[in-house]
Amino acid sequence: MGGPGAVPARLLLLLLLSVLAAVSVPRGAAAPSPVYDTDGHELSADADYYVLPAAHGGGGGLTMAPNVFRCPLFVAQEADPLRRGFPVRLTPLHGHGGDRTVRVSFDVAVHFAAATTCVQTTEWHVAGRGDEEGSGARRHVVTGPVLAPTAGGRERVFRVEGHRHGYRLAWCGVPTECEELGVFRDDRGRAWLTVSDEQPHVVVFKKAPLVPA
């Protein structure tokens, strides 16, 4: 048993990983910190992860659900804390020299590693013109094709940002400005992932088991 000054093993592991990541980058190159999963491993673009609330009892993981119509499916949160939802895969954008590590404040694309009855992409984007009506003034995170893309084409660009209790998810509709994602509960008690200027949805990433091909 450690004394009063002992460092918890998991914290020590995360500190060591951060130091190794810093010293492995050539001098003069800024390397944003990797995003870590609940086991202290760097998130990889070649693996799938459950997106779970950092706070216990704050609901379950992220999933897909219909809103007004059967399709497209909106990104929602499971009500049951024991349900993990569907795993996601995060893919770094813009090349980054072939780096497959998911890093804090880097642009990523996100999709659910799951098939749906809608038979369309499960990649995330923020709803805009042409998406399902009935979601009100809130901008929801939706799966499926972008029906009315903007000139900038950044409807699908997201980032993972740091938080003292885990990580925050953000949508970056313009390169210089990102908006946090939060959970909005409608009058039927359903929880949706939306662009929010209120409390962010603070999450952790749990690696999903490998599914045999």
Side-chain angles (χ1 to χ4, degrees):
M1 181 177 295
V7 179
R10 178 170 294 185
L11 178 57
L12 184 60
L13 174 62
L14 291 176
L15 290 173
L16 178 60
L17 290 170
S18 297
V19 170
L20 290 175
V23 299
S24 63
V25 176
R27 293 186 64 180
S33 172
V35 178
Y36 294 101
D37 66 17
T38 53
D39 293 320
H41 300 141
E42 297 177 0
L43 259 64
S44 168
D46 300 312
D48 303 325
Y49 301 88
Y50 294 105
V51 185
L52 307 175
H56 294 294
L62 297 183
T63 185
M64 293 175 278
N67 193 326
V68 176
F69 303 107
R70 186 177 67 87
C71 297
L73 297 174
F74 282 41
V75 179
Q77 184 188 18
E78 296 276 11
D80 186 347
L82 299 179
R83 295 183 66 89
R84 295 178 177 176
F86 293 112
V88 304
R89 182 164 294 198
L90 297 90
T91 305
L93 299 174
H94 318 307
H96 295 308
D99 186 5
R100 303 293 288 171
T101 301
V102 178
R103 298 184 181 276
V104 173
S105 301
F106 264 32
D107 290 352
V108 295
V110 186
H111 74 270
F112 282 110
T116 75
T117 56
C118 290
V119 194
Q120 60 187 19
T121 177
T122 59
E123 188 171 1
W124 294 12
H125 70 275
V126 168
R129 298 189 312 276
D131 284 296
E132 172 185 327
E133 296 181 0
S135 57
R138 292 183 179 271
R139 288 175 294 170
H140 287 240
V141 182
V142 189
T143 66
V146 178
L147 301 181
T150 62
R154 293 182 62 87
E155 290 85 357
R156 299 180 182 274
V157 180
F158 296 87
R159 289 183 184 177
V160 179
E161 302 288 359
H163 186 278
R164 63 185 182 277
H165 297 306
Y167 296 97
R168 298 170 292 126
L169 302 175
W171 172 63
C172 301
V174 296
T176 57
E177 181 179 350
C178 295
E179 298 177 83
E180 292 181 337
L181 302 181
V183 170
F184 165 70
R185 286 177 170 75
D186 64 18
D187 54 7
R188 295 171 56 185
R190 301 176 301 177
W192 306 104
L193 192 66
T194 68
V195 176
S196 174
D197 57 2
E198 299 169 4
Q199 185 173 349
H201 186 46
V202 182
V203 301
V204 294
F205 297 92
K206 182 174 181 61
K207 190 173 183 179
L210 182 65
V211 177

